[in-house]
Amino acid sequence: MFESIEIILAAGLGAMLAVFYFGGLWWTLRCLSTSQRPLAIYFASLTTRMVIALLVFTGFAAYGVWQTFAACFLGFLITRIALLRFLGREPSLATAAQRSGP
């Protein structure tokens, strides 16, 4: 019973990590166009998101139970897929130019 609760909590933490990671990416991309230092914002955001994600995944790997690590990673991936389907993909400039024609 306790093991199943650990797995559910690990999957939930993976989902929250994905929301943080991809939400931070979305926010960063929105801020780049109005920023006076877009490169600094980009690298600060990338570093912060990567360090936190790696700390969480490393923590689960060091915990020693592969099921909790797999649940965390699966929660991360499923949330990423759900966010892509829910939010959709915005068309790029190249796609918009192809639609409008010459």
Coordinates of all heavy atoms in Angstrom, one line a residue:
M1 N 0.8 -1.2 0.0 CA 0.0 0.0 0.0 C 0.9 1.3 0.0 O 0.6 2.2 -0.7 CB -0.9 -0.1 1.2 CG -1.8 1.1 1.4 SD -3.0 1.1 0.1 CE -4.0 2.5 0.5
F2 N 1.9 1.3 0.8 CA 2.8 2.4 0.9 C 3.5 2.6 -0.4 O 3.8 3.8 -0.8 CB 3.7 2.3 2.1 CG 4.6 3.4 2.3 CD1 4.1 4.6 2.8 CD2 6.0 3.4 2.1 CE1 4.9 5.7 3.0 CE2 6.8 4.5 2.3 CZ 6.2 5.7 2.7
E3 N 3.9 1.5 -1.0 CA 4.6 1.6 -2.3 C 3.8 2.3 -3.4 O 4.3 3.1 -4.2 CB 5.1 0.3 -2.7 CG 6.1 -0.3 -1.8 CD 6.4 -1.8 -2.0 OE1 5.6 -2.4 -2.8 OE2 7.2 -2.4 -1.4
S4 N 2.5 1.9 -3.4 CA 1.6 2.5 -4.4 C 1.4 4.0 -4.2 O 1.3 4.8 -5.1 CB 0.3 1.8 -4.5 OG -0.4 1.9 -3.3
I5 N 1.4 4.4 -2.9 CA 1.3 5.9 -2.6 C 2.5 6.6 -3.1 O 2.5 7.7 -3.6 CB 1.0 6.1 -1.1 CG1 -0.4 5.6 -0.8 CG2 1.1 7.5 -0.7 CD1 -0.7 5.6 0.7
E6 N 3.7 6.0 -2.8 CA 5.0 6.6 -3.3 C 5.0 6.8 -4.8 O 5.4 7.8 -5.3 CB 6.2 5.7 -2.9 CG 6.6 5.8 -1.4 CD 7.8 4.9 -1.1 OE1 8.1 4.0 -1.9 OE2 8.4 5.2 -0.1
I7 N 4.5 5.8 -5.5 CA 4.5 5.9 -7.0 C 3.5 6.9 -7.5 O 3.9 7.7 -8.4 CB 4.2 4.5 -7.6 CG1 5.3 3.5 -7.3 CG2 3.8 4.6 -9.1 CD1 5.1 2.1 -7.7
I8 N 2.4 7.0 -6.8 CA 1.4 8.1 -7.2 C 2.0 9.5 -6.9 O 1.9 10.4 -7.7 CB 0.1 7.9 -6.5 CG1 -0.6 6.6 -7.0 CG2 -0.8 9.1 -6.6 CD1 -1.8 6.2 -6.2
L9 N 2.6 9.6 -5.8 CA 3.3 10.9 -5.4 C 4.4 11.2 -6.4 O 4.6 12.4 -6.7 CB 3.8 10.9 -4.0 CG 2.7 10.9 -2.9 CD1 3.3 10.8 -1.5 CD2 1.8 12.2 -3.0
A10 N 5.2 10.2 -6.7 CA 6.3 10.5 -7.7 C 5.8 10.9 -9.0 O 6.3 11.8 -9.7 CB 7.1 9.2 -7.8
A11 N 4.7 10.3 -9.5 CA 4.1 10.7 -10.8 C 3.5 12.1 -10.7 O 3.6 12.9 -11.6 CB 3.0 9.7 -11.2
G12 N 2.9 12.4 -9.6 CA 2.4 13.8 -9.4 C 3.5 14.8 -9.3 O 3.4 15.9 -9.9
L13 N 4.6 14.5 -8.7 CA 5.8 15.4 -8.7 C 6.4 15.5 -10.1 O 6.7 16.6 -10.5 CB 6.8 14.9 -7.7 CG 8.1 15.8 -7.6 CD1 7.6 17.1 -7.0 CD2 9.1 15.2 -6.7
G14 N 6.4 14.5 -10.9 CA 6.8 14.6 -12.2 C 5.9 15.5 -13.1 O 6.4 16.2 -13.9
A15 N 4.6 15.4 -12.9 CA 3.7 16.2 -13.6 C 3.9 17.7 -13.2 O 3.9 18.6 -14.0 CB 2.2 15.8 -13.3
M16 N 4.1 18.0 -11.9 CA 4.3 19.3 -11.4 C 5.6 19.9 -12.0 O 5.7 21.0 -12.4 CB 4.3 19.4 -9.9 CG 2.9 19.2 -9.3 SD 2.8 19.5 -7.5 CE 4.3 19.1 -6.8
L17 N 6.6 19.0 -12.1 CA 7.9 19.4 -12.6 C 7.7 19.8 -14.1 O 8.3 20.7 -14.6 CB 8.9 18.3 -12.5 CG 10.3 18.5 -13.0 CD1 11.0 19.7 -12.2 CD2 11.2 17.3 -12.8
A18 N 6.9 19.0 -14.8 CA 6.7 19.3 -16.3 C 6.0 20.6 -16.4 O 6.3 21.4 -17.3 CB 5.9 18.2 -16.9
V19 N 5.0 20.9 -15.6 CA 4.3 22.2 -15.6 C 5.3 23.3 -15.4 O 5.3 24.3 -16.1 CB 3.1 22.2 -14.7 CG1 2.5 23.6 -14.5 CG2 2.0 21.2 -15.2
F20 N 6.1 23.1 -14.4 CA 7.1 24.2 -14.1 C 8.1 24.3 -15.2 O 8.4 25.5 -15.7 CB 7.9 23.8 -12.8 CG 9.2 24.6 -12.6 CD1 9.1 25.9 -12.1 CD2 10.4 24.1 -12.9 CE1 10.2 26.7 -12.0 CE2 11.5 24.8 -12.7 CZ 11.5 26.1 -12.3
Y21 N 8.6 23.2 -15.8 CA 9.6 23.3 -16.8 C 9.1 23.9 -18.1 O 9.6 24.9 -18.6 CB 10.1 21.9 -17.1 CG 11.3 21.9 -18.0 CD1 12.6 22.0 -17.6 CD2 11.1 21.7 -19.4 CE1 13.7 22.0 -18.4 CE2 12.2 21.7 -20.3 CZ 13.5 21.8 -19.8 OH 14.5 21.9 -20.6
F22 N 7.9 23.4 -18.6 CA 7.4 23.9 -19.8 C 6.7 25.2 -19.7 O 6.6 26.0 -20.6 CB 6.5 22.8 -20.5 CG 7.3 21.6 -20.9 CD1 7.2 20.4 -20.2 CD2 8.3 21.7 -21.9 CE1 8.0 19.3 -20.6 CE2 9.0 20.6 -22.3 CZ 8.9 19.4 -21.6
G23 N 6.1 25.5 -18.5 CA 5.5 26.8 -18.2 C 6.6 27.8 -18.2 O 6.4 29.0 -18.7
G24 N 7.8 27.5 -17.6 CA 8.9 28.4 -17.6 C 9.4 28.7 -19.0 O 9.8 29.8 -19.4
L25 N 9.4 27.6 -19.8 CA 9.8 27.8 -21.2 C 8.9 28.7 -22.0 O 9.3 29.6 -22.7 CB 9.9 26.4 -21.9 CG 10.3 26.4 -23.4 CD1 11.6 27.0 -23.6 CD2 10.2 25.0 -23.9
W26 N 7.6 28.5 -21.8 CA 6.6 29.3 -22.4 C 6.7 30.8 -22.0 O 6.7 31.7 -22.8 CB 5.2 28.8 -22.1 CG 4.1 29.6 -22.6 CD1 3.6 29.5 -23.9 CD2 3.3 30.6 -21.9 NE1 2.5 30.4 -24.0 CE2 2.4 31.1 -22.9 CE3 3.3 31.1 -20.7 CZ2 1.4 32.1 -22.5 CZ3 2.4 32.1 -20.3 CH2 1.5 32.6 -21.2
W27 N 6.9 31.0 -20.7 CA 7.1 32.4 -20.2 C 8.3 33.0 -20.7 O 8.3 34.2 -21.1 CB 7.1 32.3 -18.6 CG 7.3 33.7 -18.1 CD1 6.4 34.6 -17.9 CD2 8.5 34.2 -17.6 NE1 7.0 35.7 -17.3 CE2 8.3 35.5 -17.1 CE3 9.8 33.7 -17.5 CZ2 9.3 36.3 -16.6 CZ3 10.8 34.5 -16.9 CH2 10.5 35.8 -16.5
T28 N 9.4 32.3 -20.8 CA 10.7 32.8 -21.3 C 10.5 33.2 -22.8 O 10.9 34.3 -23.2 CB 11.8 31.7 -21.2 OG1 11.9 31.4 -19.9 CG2 13.1 32.2 -21.8
L29 N 9.9 32.4 -23.6 CA 9.7 32.7 -25.0 C 8.8 33.9 -25.2 O 9.0 34.7 -26.1 CB 9.1 31.5 -25.8 CG 10.1 30.3 -25.9 CD1 9.4 29.1 -26.6 CD2 11.4 30.7 -26.6
R30 N 7.8 34.1 -24.3 CA 7.0 35.3 -24.4 C 7.8 36.5 -24.0 O 7.5 37.6 -24.6 CB 5.8 35.2 -23.4 CG 4.8 34.1 -23.8 CD 4.0 34.5 -24.9 NE 3.0 33.5 -25.2 CZ 2.2 33.5 -26.2 NH1 2.1 34.6 -26.9 NH2 1.3 32.5 -26.4
C31 N 8.7 36.4 -23.1 CA 9.5 37.6 -22.7 C 10.6 38.0 -23.6 O 11.1 39.1 -23.5 CB 10.0 37.3 -21.2 SG 8.8 37.3 -20.0
L32 N 11.0 37.1 -24.4 CA 12.2 37.3 -25.3 C 12.0 38.5 -26.2 O 12.9 39.3 -26.5 CB 12.6 36.1 -26.0 CG 13.3 35.0 -25.2 CD1 13.6 33.8 -26.1 CD2 14.5 35.5 -24.5
S33 N 10.8 38.6 -26.8 CA 10.6 39.6 -27.8 C 10.6 41.0 -27.2 O 10.9 42.0 -27.9 CB 9.3 39.4 -28.5 OG 8.2 39.5 -27.6
T34 N 10.2 41.2 -25.9 CA 10.2 42.5 -25.3 C 11.4 42.8 -24.5 O 11.5 44.0 -24.0 CB 8.9 42.7 -24.5 OG1 8.9 41.7 -23.4 CG2 7.7 42.5 -25.3
S35 N 12.3 41.9 -24.3 CA 13.4 42.1 -23.4 C 14.6 42.8 -24.1 O 14.7 42.7 -25.3 CB 13.9 40.7 -23.0 OG 15.1 40.9 -22.2
Q36 N 15.3 43.6 -23.3 CA 16.5 44.2 -23.8 C 17.7 43.3 -23.8 O 18.7 43.6 -24.4 CB 16.7 45.5 -23.1 CG 15.6 46.5 -23.3 CD 15.9 47.9 -22.7 OE1 16.9 48.1 -22.1 NE2 14.9 48.8 -22.9
R37 N 17.6 42.3 -23.0 CA 18.7 41.3 -22.9 C 18.2 39.9 -23.1 O 18.1 39.1 -22.1 CB 19.4 41.5 -21.6 CG 20.0 42.9 -21.4 CD 20.5 43.0 -20.0 NE 21.6 42.1 -19.7 CZ 22.7 42.4 -19.2 NH1 23.0 43.6 -18.9 NH2 23.6 41.4 -18.9
P38 N 17.7 39.6 -24.3 CA 17.1 38.3 -24.4 C 18.0 37.1 -24.2 O 17.6 36.0 -23.7 CB 16.6 38.3 -25.9 CG 17.4 39.3 -26.6 CD 17.8 40.3 -25.5
L39 N 19.3 37.2 -24.6 CA 20.2 36.1 -24.4 C 20.4 35.8 -22.9 O 20.4 34.6 -22.5 CB 21.5 36.4 -25.0 CG 22.4 35.2 -25.4 CD1 21.7 34.3 -26.3 CD2 23.7 35.7 -26.0
A40 N 20.5 36.8 -22.1 CA 20.6 36.6 -20.6 C 19.4 35.9 -20.0 O 19.5 35.0 -19.2 CB 20.9 37.9 -19.9
I41 N 18.2 36.4 -20.5 CA 17.0 35.8 -20.0 C 16.9 34.3 -20.4 O 16.5 33.4 -19.6 CB 15.8 36.6 -20.4 CG1 15.7 37.9 -19.7 CG2 14.5 35.8 -20.2 CD1 14.6 38.8 -20.1
Y42 N 17.2 34.1 -21.6 CA 17.2 32.7 -22.2 C 18.1 31.8 -21.4 O 17.6 30.7 -21.0 CB 17.5 32.7 -23.7 CG 17.6 31.3 -24.2 CD1 16.5 30.6 -24.5 CD2 18.9 30.7 -24.4 CE1 16.6 29.3 -25.0 CE2 19.0 29.4 -24.9 CZ 17.8 28.7 -25.2 OH 17.9 27.4 -25.7
F43 N 19.3 32.1 -21.2 CA 20.3 31.2 -20.5 C 20.0 31.1 -19.0 O 20.1 30.1 -18.4 CB 21.7 31.7 -20.8 CG 22.2 31.2 -22.1 CD1 22.5 32.1 -23.1 CD2 22.3 29.9 -22.4 CE1 22.9 31.7 -24.3 CE2 22.8 29.4 -23.6 CZ 23.1 30.4 -24.6
A44 N 19.5 32.2 -18.4 CA 19.1 32.1 -17.0 C 17.9 31.2 -16.8 O 17.9 30.3 -15.9 CB 18.8 33.5 -16.4
S45 N 16.9 31.3 -17.7 CA 15.8 30.4 -17.6 C 16.2 28.9 -17.9 O 15.7 28.0 -17.2 CB 14.7 30.8 -18.6 OG 13.7 29.9 -18.7
L46 N 17.0 28.7 -18.9 CA 17.4 27.4 -19.3 C 18.2 26.7 -18.1 O 17.9 25.6 -17.7 CB 18.3 27.4 -20.5 CG 18.9 26.1 -21.0 CD1 17.8 25.1 -21.4 CD2 19.9 26.3 -22.0
T47 N 19.1 27.5 -17.5 CA 19.9 27.0 -16.4 C 19.0 26.6 -15.2 O 19.1 25.5 -14.6 CB 21.0 28.0 -16.0 OG1 21.8 28.3 -17.2 CG2 21.8 27.4 -14.9
T48 N 18.1 27.5 -14.9 CA 17.2 27.3 -13.7 C 16.4 26.1 -13.9 O 16.3 25.2 -13.1 CB 16.4 28.5 -13.5 OG1 17.2 29.7 -13.3 CG2 15.5 28.3 -12.3
R49 N 15.7 26.0 -15.1 CA 14.8 24.9 -15.4 C 15.6 23.6 -15.4 O 15.1 22.6 -14.9 CB 14.1 25.1 -16.7 CG 13.1 26.2 -16.6 CD 12.3 26.4 -17.9 NE 13.1 27.0 -19.0 CZ 13.4 26.3 -20.1 NH1 12.9 25.1 -20.3 NH2 14.2 26.9 -21.0
M50 N 16.7 23.5 -16.0 CA 17.5 22.3 -16.1 C 18.0 21.9 -14.8 O 18.0 20.7 -14.5 CB 18.7 22.5 -17.1 CG 18.3 22.5 -18.5 SD 17.5 21.0 -19.0 CE 19.0 20.1 -19.6
V51 N 18.5 22.8 -14.0 CA 19.1 22.4 -12.7 C 18.0 21.8 -11.8 O 18.2 20.8 -11.1 CB 19.8 23.6 -12.0 CG1 20.0 23.4 -10.5 CG2 21.1 24.0 -12.7
I52 N 16.8 22.5 -11.8 CA 15.7 21.9 -10.9 C 15.3 20.6 -11.4 O 15.1 19.7 -10.6 CB 14.6 23.0 -10.8 CG1 15.1 24.2 -10.0 CG2 13.3 22.4 -10.2 CD1 14.1 25.3 -10.0
A53 N 15.1 20.4 -12.7 CA 14.7 19.1 -13.3 C 15.7 18.0 -13.0 O 15.4 16.9 -12.6 CB 14.4 19.2 -14.8
L54 N 17.0 18.4 -13.2 CA 18.0 17.4 -12.9 C 18.1 17.0 -11.4 O 18.4 15.9 -11.1 CB 19.4 17.8 -13.4 CG 19.5 17.8 -15.0 CD1 20.8 18.5 -15.4 CD2 19.4 16.4 -15.5
L55 N 17.9 18.0 -10.6 CA 17.9 17.7 -9.1 C 16.8 16.8 -8.7 O 17.0 15.8 -8.0 CB 17.8 19.0 -8.3 CG 19.1 19.8 -8.2 CD1 18.8 21.1 -7.5 CD2 20.2 19.1 -7.5
V56 N 15.6 17.0 -9.3 CA 14.5 16.1 -9.0 C 14.7 14.7 -9.5 O 14.6 13.7 -8.7 CB 13.2 16.7 -9.5 CG1 12.0 15.7 -9.4 CG2 12.8 18.0 -8.8
F57 N 15.1 14.6 -10.7 CA 15.4 13.3 -11.3 C 16.5 12.6 -10.6 O 16.5 11.4 -10.4 CB 15.6 13.3 -12.8 CG 14.3 13.6 -13.6 CD1 14.3 14.6 -14.6 CD2 13.2 12.9 -13.4 CE1 13.2 14.9 -15.3 CE2 12.0 13.2 -14.1 CZ 12.0 14.2 -15.0
T58 N 17.6 13.3 -10.3 CA 18.7 12.7 -9.6 C 18.3 12.3 -8.2 O 18.8 11.2 -7.7 CB 19.9 13.7 -9.5 OG1 20.2 14.1 -10.8 CG2 21.1 13.1 -8.8
G59 N 17.5 13.0 -7.5 CA 17.0 12.6 -6.2 C 16.2 11.3 -6.3 O 16.4 10.5 -5.4
F60 N 15.4 11.2 -7.3 CA 14.6 9.9 -7.4 C 15.6 8.8 -7.8 O 15.4 7.6 -7.3 CB 13.5 10.0 -8.4 CG 12.3 10.6 -7.9 CD1 11.9 11.9 -8.2 CD2 11.5 9.8 -7.0 CE1 10.7 12.4 -7.6 CE2 10.3 10.4 -6.4 CZ 9.9 11.6 -6.8
A61 N 16.6 9.0 -8.6 CA 17.5 8.0 -9.0 C 18.4 7.6 -7.8 O 18.7 6.4 -7.6 CB 18.4 8.5 -10.1
A62 N 18.8 8.6 -6.9 CA 19.6 8.3 -5.8 C 18.8 7.6 -4.7 O 19.3 6.9 -3.8 CB 20.2 9.5 -5.2
Y63 N 17.4 7.8 -4.7 CA 16.6 7.1 -3.7 C 16.7 5.6 -3.8 O 16.5 4.9 -2.8 CB 15.1 7.6 -4.0 CG 14.1 7.1 -3.0 CD1 14.2 7.3 -1.7 CD2 13.0 6.3 -3.5 CE1 13.2 6.8 -0.8 CE2 12.1 5.8 -2.6 CZ 12.2 6.1 -1.3 OH 11.2 5.6 -0.4
G64 N 17.0 5.1 -5.0 CA 17.2 3.7 -5.1 C 16.1 2.8 -5.6 O 16.3 1.6 -5.8
V65 N 14.9 3.4 -5.7 CA 13.8 2.6 -6.2 C 13.4 3.0 -7.6 O 13.0 4.1 -7.8 CB 12.6 2.8 -5.2 CG1 11.4 1.9 -5.7 CG2 12.9 2.5 -3.8
W66 N 13.7 2.1 -8.5 CA 13.5 2.5 -9.9 C 12.1 2.8 -10.3 O 11.8 3.5 -11.2 CB 14.1 1.4 -10.8 CG 13.4 0.1 -10.9 CD1 13.6 -1.0 -10.1 CD2 12.3 -0.2 -11.7 NE1 12.7 -1.9 -10.4 CE2 11.9 -1.5 -11.4 CE3 11.6 0.5 -12.7 CZ2 10.9 -2.1 -12.0 CZ3 10.6 -0.2 -13.4 CH2 10.2 -1.5 -13.0
Q67 N 11.1 2.2 -9.5 CA 9.7 2.4 -9.9 C 9.3 3.9 -9.6 O 8.5 4.4 -10.4 CB 8.8 1.5 -9.0 CG 8.9 0.0 -9.4 CD 9.9 -0.7 -8.6 OE1 10.8 -0.2 -8.0 NE2 9.8 -2.1 -8.6
T68 N 9.8 4.5 -8.6 CA 9.5 5.9 -8.3 C 10.1 6.8 -9.3 O 9.5 7.8 -9.8 CB 9.9 6.3 -6.9 OG1 11.3 6.1 -6.7 CG2 9.1 5.5 -5.8
F69 N 11.4 6.5 -9.7 CA 12.0 7.3 -10.8 C 11.2 7.1 -12.1 O 11.0 8.1 -12.8 CB 13.4 6.8 -11.0 CG 14.1 7.5 -12.1 CD1 14.6 8.7 -12.0 CD2 14.2 6.9 -13.4 CE1 15.3 9.4 -13.0 CE2 14.8 7.5 -14.4 CZ 15.4 8.8 -14.3
A70 N 10.8 5.9 -12.4 CA 10.1 5.7 -13.7 C 8.7 6.4 -13.6 O 8.2 7.0 -14.6 CB 9.9 4.2 -13.9
A71 N 8.1 6.4 -12.4 CA 6.8 7.1 -12.3 C 6.9 8.6 -12.4 O 6.1 9.3 -13.1 CB 6.1 6.7 -10.9
C72 N 8.0 9.1 -11.8 CA 8.2 10.6 -12.0 C 8.5 10.9 -13.4 O 7.9 11.9 -13.9 CB 9.4 10.9 -11.1 SG 9.8 12.7 -11.1
F73 N 9.3 10.2 -14.1 CA 9.6 10.4 -15.5 C 8.4 10.3 -16.4 O 8.1 11.1 -17.3 CB 10.7 9.5 -16.0 CG 11.3 9.9 -17.3 CD1 12.0 11.1 -17.4 CD2 11.1 9.1 -18.4 CE1 12.6 11.4 -18.7 CE2 11.6 9.5 -19.6 CZ 12.4 10.6 -19.8
L74 N 7.6 9.3 -16.1 CA 6.4 9.0 -16.9 C 5.4 10.2 -16.6 O 4.7 10.6 -17.6 CB 5.7 7.7 -16.5 CG 4.7 7.2 -17.4 CD1 5.2 6.9 -18.8 CD2 4.1 5.9 -16.8
G75 N 5.2 10.6 -15.4 CA 4.4 11.8 -15.1 C 4.8 13.0 -15.9 O 4.0 13.8 -16.4
F76 N 6.1 13.2 -16.0 CA 6.7 14.3 -16.7 C 6.4 14.2 -18.2 O 5.9 15.2 -18.8 CB 8.2 14.3 -16.5 CG 8.9 15.5 -17.1 CD1 9.1 16.7 -16.4 CD2 9.5 15.4 -18.4 CE1 9.8 17.8 -16.9 CE2 10.1 16.5 -18.9 CZ 10.3 17.7 -18.2
L77 N 6.6 13.1 -18.8 CA 6.3 12.9 -20.2 C 4.8 13.0 -20.5 O 4.4 13.6 -21.5 CB 6.8 11.5 -20.7 CG 8.3 11.4 -20.7 CD1 8.7 10.0 -21.2 CD2 8.9 12.4 -21.7
I78 N 3.9 12.4 -19.7 CA 2.5 12.4 -20.0 C 2.0 13.9 -19.9 O 1.2 14.3 -20.7 CB 1.7 11.5 -19.0 CG1 2.0 10.0 -19.4 CG2 0.2 11.8 -19.0 CD1 1.5 9.0 -18.4
T79 N 2.5 14.6 -18.9 CA 2.1 16.0 -18.8 C 2.6 16.8 -19.9 O 1.9 17.7 -20.4 CB 2.6 16.6 -17.4 OG1 2.2 15.8 -16.4 CG2 2.2 18.0 -17.2
R80 N 3.8 16.6 -20.4 CA 4.3 17.3 -21.6 C 3.4 17.0 -22.8 O 3.0 17.9 -23.5 CB 5.7 16.8 -22.0 CG 6.3 17.5 -23.2 CD 7.5 16.8 -23.7 NE 8.0 17.4 -24.9 CZ 7.7 17.0 -26.1 NH1 6.8 16.0 -26.3 NH2 8.1 17.6 -27.2
I81 N 3.0 15.8 -23.0 CA 2.1 15.4 -24.1 C 0.7 16.1 -23.9 O 0.2 16.7 -24.9 CB 1.9 13.9 -24.3 CG1 3.3 13.3 -24.7 CG2 0.8 13.5 -25.2 CD1 3.3 11.8 -24.6
A82 N 0.2 16.1 -22.7 CA -1.1 16.7 -22.5 C -1.0 18.3 -22.7 O -1.9 18.8 -23.2 CB -1.5 16.5 -21.0
L83 N 0.1 18.9 -22.3 CA 0.2 20.3 -22.5 C 0.3 20.6 -24.0 O -0.3 21.6 -24.4 CB 1.5 20.8 -21.8 CG 1.4 21.0 -20.3 CD1 2.8 21.3 -19.7 CD2 0.4 22.0 -19.9
L84 N 1.0 19.8 -24.8 CA 1.1 20.1 -26.2 C -0.3 19.9 -26.8 O -0.7 20.7 -27.7 CB 2.0 19.1 -26.9 CG 3.5 19.5 -26.8 CD1 4.3 18.4 -27.4 CD2 3.7 20.8 -27.5
R85 N -1.1 18.9 -26.4 CA -2.4 18.8 -27.0 C -3.4 19.8 -26.5 O -4.2 20.3 -27.3 CB -3.0 17.4 -26.6 CG -2.2 16.3 -27.4 CD -2.9 15.0 -27.1 NE -2.0 14.0 -27.7 CZ -2.5 13.1 -28.6 NH1 -3.7 13.1 -29.0 NH2 -1.7 12.2 -29.1
F86 N -3.3 20.2 -25.2 CA -4.2 21.2 -24.7 C -3.9 22.6 -25.2 O -4.8 23.3 -25.6 CB -4.1 21.2 -23.2 CG -5.0 22.2 -22.5 CD1 -6.4 22.1 -22.5 CD2 -4.4 23.3 -21.9 CE1 -7.2 23.0 -21.9 CE2 -5.2 24.3 -21.3 CZ -6.6 24.1 -21.3
L87 N -2.6 23.0 -25.2 CA -2.2 24.3 -25.7 C -2.1 24.4 -27.2 O -2.2 25.5 -27.7 CB -1.0 24.8 -25.0 CG -1.0 24.9 -23.4 CD1 0.3 25.2 -22.9 CD2 -2.1 25.9 -23.0
G88 N -1.7 23.3 -27.8 CA -1.5 23.3 -29.2 C -0.2 23.9 -29.5 O 0.6 24.4 -28.7
R89 N 0.1 23.9 -30.8 CA 1.4 24.5 -31.3 C 1.1 25.7 -32.1 O 0.2 25.7 -32.9 CB 2.2 23.5 -32.1 CG 2.6 22.3 -31.3 CD 3.5 21.4 -32.2 NE 3.8 20.2 -31.4 CZ 4.6 19.3 -31.9 NH1 5.1 19.4 -33.1 NH2 4.9 18.3 -31.2
E90 N 1.7 26.8 -31.7 CA 1.5 28.0 -32.5 C 2.3 27.9 -33.8 O 3.4 27.4 -33.9 CB 2.0 29.2 -31.7 CG 1.2 29.5 -30.5 CD 1.6 30.8 -29.8 OE1 2.2 31.6 -30.5 OE2 1.2 31.0 -28.7
P91 N 1.7 28.3 -34.9 CA 2.4 28.2 -36.2 C 3.6 29.1 -36.2 O 3.6 30.2 -35.7 CB 1.3 28.6 -37.2 CG 0.3 29.4 -36.5 CD 0.4 28.9 -35.0
S92 N 4.6 28.6 -36.9 CA 5.8 29.4 -37.0 C 5.7 30.4 -38.1 O 4.7 30.4 -38.9 CB 7.0 28.5 -37.3 OG 6.9 27.9 -38.6
L93 N 6.6 31.3 -38.2 CA 6.6 32.4 -39.3 C 6.7 31.7 -40.6 O 6.0 32.2 -41.6 CB 7.7 33.4 -39.1 CG 7.5 34.3 -37.8 CD1 8.7 35.2 -37.7 CD2 6.3 35.1 -37.9
A94 N 7.5 30.7 -40.8 CA 7.6 30.0 -42.1 C 6.3 29.4 -42.5 O 5.9 29.4 -43.6 CB 8.7 29.0 -42.0
T95 N 5.6 28.8 -41.5 CA 4.3 28.1 -41.9 C 3.3 29.2 -42.3 O 2.5 29.0 -43.2 CB 3.8 27.3 -40.6 OG1 4.8 26.4 -40.2 CG2 2.5 26.6 -41.0
A96 N 3.3 30.3 -41.5 CA 2.4 31.4 -41.9 C 2.7 32.0 -43.2 O 1.7 32.3 -44.0 CB 2.4 32.5 -40.8
A97 N 3.9 32.1 -43.6 CA 4.3 32.6 -44.9 C 3.9 31.7 -46.0 O 3.5 32.1 -47.1 CB 5.8 32.9 -45.0
Q98 N 4.0 30.4 -45.8 CA 3.6 29.4 -46.8 C 2.1 29.4 -47.0 O 1.6 29.2 -48.1 CB 4.0 28.0 -46.4 CG 5.5 27.8 -46.4 CD 5.9 26.4 -45.9 OE1 5.1 25.7 -45.3 NE2 7.1 26.0 -46.0
R99 N 1.3 29.7 -46.0 CA -0.1 29.7 -46.1 C -0.6 30.9 -46.9 O -1.6 30.8 -47.6 CB -0.8 29.7 -44.7 CG -0.7 28.4 -44.1 CD -1.5 28.4 -42.8 NE -1.2 27.2 -42.0 CZ -1.4 27.1 -40.7 NH1 -1.9 28.1 -40.1 NH2 -1.1 26.0 -40.1
S100 N 0.1 32.0 -46.7 CA -0.4 33.3 -47.3 C 0.0 33.3 -48.8 O -0.6 34.0 -49.6 CB 0.2 34.5 -46.6 OG 1.6 34.5 -46.7
G101 N 1.0 32.5 -49.2 CA 1.4 32.5 -50.6 C 2.3 33.7 -51.0 O 2.5 34.5 -50.2
P102 N 2.7 33.7 -52.2 CA 3.6 34.8 -52.7 C 2.9 36.1 -52.9 O 1.9 36.4 -53.0 CB 4.2 34.2 -54.0 CG 3.4 33.0 -54.4 CD 2.5 32.7 -53.2

